[in-house]
Amino acid sequence: AQSVTQLGSHVSVSEGALVLLRCNYSSSVPPYLFWYVQYPNQGLQLLLKYTSAATLVKGINGFEAEFKKSETSFHLTKPSAHMSDAAEYFCAVSRATGRRALTFGSGTRLQVQP
Amino acid sequence: DTEVTQTPKHLVMGMTNKKSLKCEQHMGHRAMYWYKQKAKKPPELMFVYSYEKLSINESVPSRFSPECPNSSLLNLHLHALQPEDSALYLCASRGLSGSSYNEQFFGPGTRLTVL
C-alpha cells in the first residue's frame, strides 16, 4: 500500500518569503510522486511530478521539489511567495505500473500575507 | 487541447432524482478516473476506466453508476443519493503512451448538493 503524509494543514508565509510544504511518502515499491494545487471551487492542477528520472524536479510557477529516498520525502519549495500562490496543495503518490490511481495526502492550505 | 471538461458545474438534486455527470476529453487518453472530494478533504478514488472498460471500483455504493460510452466520454449516473453524497466530483484522464503517460489531467469538477 502507498500513502503520503503532509505535515502542517496550514502554512502562512509573508509575500516574498520562502515557501516550504512538506510531504513524506510510504511505498513498498518505487513510487511516482506529484504535487497538485487547487484554487477554491476549482479542479486540480499539476505543479510537478517525480517519475524516477532527476531527483530535483522543477515545475510551473517557480515551484520545485526534491525526491529524497533516504528521508522518504518530496517537499515542495518556492524561493519567493506571491499572493497568487495562496491555495490548497496536495501531495500524491501512485504506483509506477498498473492503473496509476492517485492517493492524496490530506492537503496543506497556504496563506500568503502581504 | 489539454482540457478535461465537466458538466454541469453545479447540480442540486433530491434524494429521489436521477441525474448524470458528464466528463469529456479530446487528448486521446485511454484511462479515465472519477474522484470524490468532500469539503476540506483530499480527493478519493471512485472508479478507473482503461480502454473503456471498468478496471477499478473502489467499493462505491451502487447508487453511483459509471459509464464510458467511448474513449472521449465518461459519465457518472446518480440515483437515490443521500445528503452525505454532497461533494465535488472530479474527473481525470491519463494517456497510456507518450508524454502524458504518468500525468493525470483533472477537470474543474461538478459541485453536487443532495437535499
Side-chain angles (χ1 to χ4, degrees):
Chain A
Q2 304 165 100
S3 65
V4 288
T5 301
Q6 292 184 240
L7 296 175
S9 58
H10 288 83
V11 170
S12 182
V13 300
S14 299
E15 192 173 18
L18 171 72
V19 175
L20 171 60
L21 304 183
R22 299 177 186 273
C23 173
N24 287 89
Y25 70 90
S26 174
S27 177
S28 57
V29 297
Y32 284 177
L33 293 160
F34 306 83
W35 276 100
Y36 282 87
V37 61
Q38 186 176 34
Y39 297 97
N41 298 312
Q42 293 189 25
L44 280 74
Q45 181 182 14
L46 181 69
L47 284 175
L48 47 79
K49 61 187 178 187
Y50 167 76
T51 56
S52 75
T55 56
L56 181 61
V57 181
K58 293 188 184 300
I60 62 171
N61 302 339
F63 285 95
E64 64 180 41
E66 186 172 8
F67 175 74
K68 291 188 177 181
K69 186 177 180 179
S70 61
E71 298 176 8
T72 62
S73 69
F74 189 58
H75 300 332
L76 181 71
T77 60
K78 181 174 181 178
S80 177
H82 192 273
M83 296 296 290
S84 61
D85 294 327
E88 187 84 21
Y89 291 80
F90 291 101
C91 182
V93 64
S94 78
R95 285 182 171 268
T97 57
R99 299 295 174 253
R100 315 288 181 100
L102 294 168
T103 300
F104 289 88
S106 55
T108 298
R109 178 159 297 278
L110 176 65
Q111 289 183 310
V112 182
Q113 307 290 341
Chain B
D1 183 5
T2 59
E3 189 178 9
V4 176
T5 59
Q6 291 187 243
T7 54
K9 289 190 186 306
H10 301 275
L11 178 63
V12 179
M13 59 186 292
M15 289 189 286
T16 59
N17 292 158
K18 286 186 180 181
K19 297 287 185 183
S20 296
L21 309 185
K22 179 180 173 181
C23 172
E24 192 165 8
Q25 56 87 16
H26 294 287
M27 295 178 278
H29 291 173
R30 302 302 295 275
M32 296 185 78
Y33 305 75
W34 279 115
Y35 291 86
K36 175 182 178 180
Q37 185 178 24
K38 300 280 283 182
K40 300 189 186 304
K41 295 291 187 182
E44 294 181 340
L45 181 68
M46 299 176 73
F47 302 103
V48 181
Y49 273 82
S50 179
Y51 294 103
E52 296 86 69
K53 293 190 189 314
L54 183 65
S55 61
I56 295 179
N57 175 340
E58 289 288 321
S59 302
V60 179
S62 60
R63 57 185 184 268
F64 294 92
S65 176
E67 178 196 22
C68 191
N70 61 55
S71 60
S72 300
L73 277 175
L74 184 66
N75 298 321
L76 186 62
H77 303 298
L78 314 173
H79 175 54
L81 295 193
Q82 303 297 310
E84 59 264 29
D85 296 322
S86 298
L88 181 68
Y89 288 83
L90 293 163
C91 173
S93 70
R94 180 175 69 87
L96 296 181
S97 64
S99 60
S100 62
Y101 186 52
N102 296 316
E103 179 179 339
Q104 289 188 29
F105 291 78
F106 281 82
T110 293
R111 176 74 60 187
L112 174 67
T113 303
V114 182
L115 301 177

